[in-house]
Amino acid sequence: ERNNLGNNAITMRIVRFLKIAILLIFGMIIIHTIEIAKNHSSGLGNWLLILTILVINIPTLYYLTKLKLTKRA
């Protein structure tokens, strides 16, 4: 039962982090869309795609490996 509590805590951290990360990514998209509408920018840029992939995948992989290590113990 202690292991289940640890797994639940790690899973909730993953969910909380992803919620905040997705919120920030959508916020950045909205800000850049407004800048494009005002003709201050020409596009979202390639960095947004790279940043989105990194922000979602790296912490998820970190927490999933942490979850696997917790299950083994």
Side-chain angles (χ1 to χ4, degrees):
E1 287 191 26
R2 233 181 343 169
N3 197 14
N4 283 338
L5 292 175
N7 291 345
N8 289 341
I10 292 171
T11 305
M12 289 307 296
R13 283 188 202 137
I14 293 171
V15 171
R16 274 189 240 131
F17 179 81
L18 287 176
K19 283 171 46 176
I20 292 171
I22 292 170
L23 176 74
L24 292 174
I25 289 168
F26 275 112
M28 288 173 37
I29 290 172
I30 290 170
I31 289 170
H32 285 288
T33 303
I34 293 170
E35 292 296 317
I36 291 169
K38 292 180 177 180
N39 289 328
H40 294 180
S41 180
S42 62
L44 293 177
N46 294 334
W47 61 270
L48 185 65
L49 177 64
I50 295 168
L51 182 69
T52 302
I53 291 170
L54 292 176
V55 164
I56 291 175
N57 288 327
I58 290 176
T60 303
L61 291 174
Y62 170 75
Y63 281 119
L64 287 176
T65 55
K66 194 172 180 180
L67 190 64
K68 280 193 176 197
L69 292 174
T70 306
K71 278 188 176 183
R72 287 184 187 169

